[in-house]
Amino acid sequence: VGGVLTPTFRGLAGGEGKILLIVDGVEQNDDLYGAPVIGQRYAAATIRRVEILRGPGSARYGGNAMLAVVKVFTKGAEVDGVEASLQSTSSARHQTNELWSFAGGAEIDDWTLSVSGHVDRGVKSTGAYTSPAGSTFALEDSSDLDSASLRLGAACRGFAARLQYDDQ
């Protein structure tokens, strides 16, 4: 879990299972520490709505909801077609991040179909890390931030199914 990005809520760190993250009805906290890891995992262009339930929600949502519950709803059938975006950023240190994201959906007869996802390629740092003991380690080739996700959904007459793939 070294170097992961987790949210804070009202000044309190939520990385130890204190904030529950739910995306399209599926809990996203990691199984080992209960951390809601968010860094490089979700593309803002694929998000339709975010709901934040403040305060303890453990009685309703379980032990990972001590500070808050964050519900994220991705785009899907309301797009009625497909939308895609590409973002590319560069820094003075020649760092480049590229983010491809897409979302779409359709209603066919009684079926509602949705798809969303992203592919993100980047580098966290091109600098060097110097330990307290004085040894130096180049981060350029070992701090990749590559991630990808795919979310598929289908619903028909009260039946709903979701498939989610994440590569972090």
Side-chain angles (χ1 to χ4, degrees), residues 26-61:
V26 179
E27 292 185 18
Q28 301 294 308
N29 293 50
D30 77 49
D31 291 333
L32 187 57
Y33 296 102
V37 180
I38 59 171
Q40 303 291 111
R41 282 189 76 179
Y42 309 101
T46 65
I47 295 174
R48 176 173 40 106
R49 183 176 86 237
V50 176
E51 293 179 2
I52 299 174
L53 308 173
R54 302 180 306 174
S58 298
R60 181 170 182 176
Y61 292 99

Side-chain angles (χ1 to χ4, degrees), residues 1 4-5 16 26 30 40 49 55-56 61 67 74 114 122 125 148 152 161 163 168:
V1 294
V4 299
L5 178 63
E16 305 86 22
V26 179
D30 77 49
Q40 303 291 111
R49 183 176 86 237
Y61 292 99
L67 289 175
T74 59
S114 63
S125 176
L152 302 171
L163 174 68
Q168 309 305 319

Side-chain angles (χ1 to χ4, degrees), residues 49-129:
R49 183 176 86 237
V50 176
E51 293 179 2
I52 299 174
L53 308 173
R54 302 180 306 174
S58 298
R60 181 170 182 176
Y61 292 99
N64 285 340
M66 216 160 64
L67 289 175
V69 176
V70 178
K71 291 182 171 184
V72 178
F73 300 88
T74 59
K75 293 179 181 177
E78 73 281 350
V79 173
D80 193 25
V82 176
E83 62 182 40
S85 68
L86 167 63
Q87 289 178 285
S88 182
T89 58
S90 294
S91 72
R93 292 185 175 186
H94 306 291
Q95 288 175 256
T96 301
N97 285 4
E98 294 177 345
L99 171 65
W100 297 273
S101 59
F102 56 92
E107 292 187 15
I108 303 169
D109 296 327
D110 292 337
W111 286 91
T112 302
L113 307 172
S114 63
V115 62
S116 67
H118 82 282
V119 175
D120 192 356
R121 301 288 176 241
V123 175
K124 186 184 277 188
S125 176
T126 57
Y129 168 75

